[in-house]
Amino acid sequence: MQRRFLMCRPTHFAVTYKINPWMDPTAPYDTTLAISQWESLVSAYEKLGHQLEFIDPLPGLPDMVFAANGGTVIDGKMYTAQFRHAERADEAPAYRDWAERAGFEVHEAKQVNEGEGDILVVGDVVLAGTGFRTSHAAHLEAQELFGRPVISLQLVDPRFYHLDTAIAVLSGSRGETPANIAYLPEAFSPGSQAVLRQLFPNAVIANIADAEVLGLNAVSDGHNVVLAVQATNLIEQLTKAGYNPVPVDVSELRLAGGGPKCCTLELRS
């Protein structure tokens, strides 16, 4: 099924501050390589027939490439982001303004949340992460806005600070069923692991090696799964489960803690 995505070219990509365990401002980074790898991701989506839209990158916002954090769009409504860290705060109004111009019904967040980084549609429910970036109060705010059951999940490993680094939605991202996910159990509290087992008994289980290359930061249209080429075990497991893995290399963006999903905000009208 064709998807509609919003993306942002990493024109100003850099690693100049540290707000997650992946970032090291003392290590080298290559903006030109980041752009080239991002263009390869764009090409992969185009070959799959997805509809792409682009927001202009702004100087001084090196993480703006991670469009998934710019908000959450469900049923034509955008729930805006309110970033935890000051370094990213100015991204929120940029994405809000884009959504208004694009004709979405925009709702300003009162609670701290980082968009689809921590809010994922899976079938009839919304999975919402907390523990590092998004507040639990934002889960309630999202439920009131979207009118869908929101299930809170506790993240416990700082390397997987957003839900979309620990869960990949394989089917159901537009509310269709059956819905399924891939995930790393160790990224969650025991209670949240029990919830995921109950909700998704047929989930694809990733290993820590997959997660450490942000293999779960993936984008699926229900059949084709765009994910990091380095996640070799996950690629094998997805194939066995009947999905079509589409490997891409965005390893330079991983220096800032992002992968394919981070670069991709789904626009659900």
Side-chain angles (χ1 to χ4, degrees):
M1 182 182 295
Q2 185 189 64
R3 298 295 197 261
R4 183 183 176 196
F5 297 143
L6 178 63
M7 303 181 71
C8 181
R9 181 183 176 86
T11 305
H12 308 291
F13 177 77
V15 184
T16 56
Y17 49 76
K18 183 177 179 67
I19 60 172
N20 67 56
W22 303 88
M23 304 177 95
D24 180 359
T26 67
Y29 60 87
D30 187 334
T31 303
T32 300
L33 178 57
I35 293 170
S36 175
Q37 291 182 344
W38 178 87
E39 289 174 342
S40 295
L41 176 61
V42 169
S43 178
Y45 289 147
E46 290 175 339
K47 289 176 182 176
L48 293 172
H50 299 315
Q51 179 184 347
L52 303 180
E53 301 189 35
F54 301 95
I55 184 173
D56 292 333
L58 299 178
L61 298 178
D63 285 341
M64 194 172 169
V65 60
F66 301 131
N69 304 147
T72 306
V73 181
I74 304 173
D75 298 330
K77 302 175 183 177
M78 173 184 255
Y79 177 46
T80 66
Q82 187 180 128
F83 286 91
R84 174 74 62 184
H85 295 288
E87 289 87 346
R88 299 195 66 183
D90 288 341
E91 295 176 40
Y95 279 96
R96 176 201 63 209
D97 292 350
W98 183 93
E100 288 179 341
R101 292 193 300 271
F104 290 97
E105 180 183 320
V106 175
H107 296 259
E108 290 277 359
K110 296 181 176 65
Q111 306 297 333
V112 173
N113 81 92
E114 300 199 347
E116 277 198 327
D118 275 321
I119 301 174
L120 301 176
V121 178
V122 194
D124 296 330
V125 303
V126 174
L127 302 181
T130 191
F132 298 103
R133 295 294 186 86
T134 294
S135 71
H136 185 262
H139 299 181
L140 304 178
E141 196 168 60
Q143 181 169 266
E144 287 300 310
L145 172 59
F146 296 124
R148 300 188 183 206
V150 173
I151 296 169
S152 295
L153 299 170
Q154 184 75 27
L155 294 162
V156 297
D157 188 325
R159 292 173 298 174
F160 312 118
Y161 57 93
H162 276 152
L163 190 63
D164 69 359
T165 66
I167 286 179
V169 179
L170 300 179
S171 55
S173 70
R174 292 214 174 164
E176 70 275 14
T177 54
N180 201 17
I181 65 171
Y183 73 105
L184 177 72
E186 303 97 298
F188 297 94
S189 67
S192 294
Q193 290 183 42
V195 168
L196 290 170
R197 285 195 299 269
Q198 180 176 342
L199 288 176
F200 305 103
N202 298 315
V204 174
I205 304 301
N207 63 25
I208 192 67
D210 296 323
E212 286 178 336
V213 292
L214 294 182
L216 288 164
N217 194 247
V219 177
S220 174
D221 60 13
H223 176 62
N224 303 293
V225 184
V226 180
L227 78 165
V229 66
Q230 295 85 2
T232 53
N233 171 72
L234 184 56
I235 289 170
E236 180 180 347
Q237 297 307 315
L238 289 170
T239 302
K240 289 180 179 178
Y243 295 95
N244 178 47
V246 181
V248 295
D249 186 359
V250 291
S251 53
E252 197 66 17
L253 295 171
R254 194 167 72 237
L255 298 178
K261 175 56 191 165
C262 285
C263 296
T264 312
L265 175 60
E266 186 162 355
L267 303 172
R268 303 173 184 87
S269 56

